[in-house]
Amino acid sequence: MMRKIWMILLSSLFLQGCFFQDQNSTIHHEDTRFMMDTIVTIETTGKSEDTLKSTTDKAFAAFQEIADETDSYAPHGPKDLYAINEKAGTGPQKAAPHLLAILKSAASHPHQELSLTLGPVIKIWNDNREKKTVPSRAEIADALTLTKGSRVRIDETTGTLTLMPGTQIDLGAVAKGYAVEEAAKVLQKEGGFQTALINAGGNIKVLGEKPDHKPWRIGIQDPKDPEKVLGTLSVPPGTAIATSGDYQRYYEVSGVRYHHILNPQTGWPSRNAHSVTVVTQSAFWADFYSTLLFVMTPKDAMTLVENNPSLEMVYQDLDGTLHISSGLKDLFVQGQ
């Protein structure tokens, strides 16, 4: 939520020794672009520079298509999110395919604590951020009335979305993760690479087995010190990782930090965690859950994760204590 508003200060994850170059034949290709208000890097290794470049370009094209469809701040086409939001309350509107897919997936999730209709609240925080002020409780309460209940109707048969009057969808909590996953699908479809890593501002997906057969190693940034890590994850190919943190995008007023991850129930920045990292197979769901779990208490977040065999988590609470799910016992090394 609100991930699009503040400039990213630091990526929530950074990589350790993920790529190398075989002096005889392996080629390393890297391309970095600015998309979806963040830095997106795709790194690949393989045998042909031309093939790696072509495949990377296609992955970036898919990423850009999703960026346009899910942008709530600027118009790109009649079926994209900006246009849908503009026509809230006017009946069914034809929607772009990726937009429909994201909303359908989110709507099917049993935990609806993550709201994708916080647009009216996000606008208030955006305006106050520009002025370095804090909104009133009344302002937030009024805006929250436009986010409650069933605000969006999805009709897959007609490919349309119907928004209730005043509804504004914001996909900042999930769009980058979805784009990373779709870009990974393009790489896998095109082939021609040995290993690949996609990193969109800390939303990461790794593909391919390294020639030394060792796991991919990814460090989780310490929220209080960008030069340090909370620990290092060792993960297999196909893993997706995402981190949500109160240190990524924020502003301060009178010494109080107002960060970008809002509690959908209150409309105010969540005050349960400093950082939540999710490890799973889908970059979309990694992004989704990292935000969802961030607004939950450590106890509730851990209960959810331990009851879902496809999820793992590293949760740092406000006291700095790490809560590590059981599946990461042998994969997470603290402080390295």
Side-chain angles (χ1 to χ4, degrees):
M1 308 165 195
M2 286 184 68
R3 292 191 182 187
K4 187 151 185 164
I5 294 180
W6 279 271
M7 181 181 296
I8 286 183
L9 302 180
L10 288 163
S11 172
S12 58
L13 299 172
F14 62 88
L15 312 181
Q16 297 184 332
C18 287
F19 286 96
F20 54 88
Q21 183 168 344
D22 184 316
Q23 293 182 351
N24 295 321
S25 59
T26 302
I27 295 170
H28 171 218
H29 179 76
E30 178 178 341
D31 193 347
T32 298
R33 307 182 191 184
F34 191 78
M35 295 178 166
M36 300 181 83
D37 208 31
T38 195
I39 296 172
V40 182
T41 299
I42 298 178
E43 298 186 62
T44 54
T45 62
K47 301 296 184 181
S48 167
E49 174 70 22
D50 289 342
T51 299
L52 295 178
K53 183 180 184 307
S54 174
T55 300
T56 298
D57 286 344
K58 291 177 181 178
F60 269 120
F63 207 104
Q64 186 63 60
E65 181 178 272
I66 295 163
D68 291 344
E69 290 188 17
T70 60
D71 187 356
S72 62
Y73 294 85
H76 297 279
K79 299 180 182 180
D80 297 338
L81 182 55
Y82 183 91
I84 299 294
N85 280 341
E86 286 286 294
K87 297 177 181 177
T90 63
Q93 304 296 324
K94 285 286 187 179
H98 293 300
L99 189 55
L100 285 169
I102 291 172
L103 292 170
K104 177 187 174 184
S105 294
S108 68
H109 194 272
H111 292 273
Q112 292 298 308
E113 294 93 335
L114 180 66
S115 174
L116 299 182
T117 59
L118 279 178
V121 183
I122 291 173
K123 184 179 186 305
I124 291 174
W125 280 104
N126 190 26
D127 292 342
N128 279 269
R129 179 258 177 185
E130 294 296 328
K131 297 179 291 185
K132 294 294 189 295
T133 56
V134 180
S136 70
R137 296 283 174 180
E139 283 181 285
I140 296 298
D142 286 344
L144 277 177
T145 64
L146 299 175
T147 72
K148 303 301 183 182
S150 180
R151 309 293 304 182
V152 181
R153 180 170 173 264
I154 305 169
D155 191 327
E156 293 184 70
T157 303
T158 60
T160 60
L161 296 174
T162 304
L163 275 57
M164 290 182 62
T167 301
Q168 295 290 284
I169 297 171
D170 188 283
L171 299 178
V174 295
K176 281 191 283 292
Y178 178 87
V180 167
E181 188 65 24
E182 292 301 304
K185 290 178 182 178
V186 171
L187 292 178
Q188 291 172 309
K189 179 182 177 181
E190 295 296 319
F193 67 91
Q194 295 172 345
T195 60
L197 181 144
I198 305 170
N199 182 3
N203 289 277
I204 290 175
K205 180 92 173 188
V206 293
L207 302 170
E209 184 172 331
K210 294 162 61 179
D212 60 8
H213 303 297
K214 292 182 179 180
W216 294 77
R217 298 181 65 237
I218 297 178
I220 304 174
Q221 183 183 307
D222 186 333
K224 295 183 178 180
D225 188 343
E227 301 300 320
K228 297 181 180 179
V229 294
L230 293 179
T232 303
L233 289 163
S234 296
V235 298
T239 299
I241 300 172
T243 294
S244 291
D246 64 0
Y247 59 95
Q248 295 170 332
R249 306 180 193 180
Y250 65 90
Y251 71 103
E252 293 185 358
V253 177
S254 301
V256 178
R257 176 179 294 188
Y258 296 92
H259 63 77
H260 70 291
I261 307 174
L262 302 180
N263 184 324
Q265 301 305 312
T266 67
W268 289 77
S270 178
R271 302 299 186 188
N272 289 313
H274 281 311
S275 171
V276 176
T277 297
V278 169
V279 182
T280 187
Q281 295 299 300
S282 163
F284 170 77
W285 289 114
D287 202 9
F288 181 99
Y289 275 107
S290 71
T291 308
L292 172 64
L293 297 172
F294 188 94
V295 303
M296 300 173 73
T297 66
K299 180 180 178 180
D300 289 343
M302 189 60 72
T303 298
L304 188 157
V305 170
E306 295 293 4
N307 287 329
N308 189 330
S310 67
L311 284 180
E312 302 298 341
M313 175 186 74
V314 178
Y315 184 118
Q316 186 190 52
D317 64 25
L318 295 184
D319 293 329
T321 302
L322 291 182
H323 305 263
I324 304 167
S325 61
S326 58
L328 293 182
K329 180 180 180 181
D330 298 325
L331 302 177
F332 179 75
V333 178
Q334 189 169 340
Q336 294 185 16

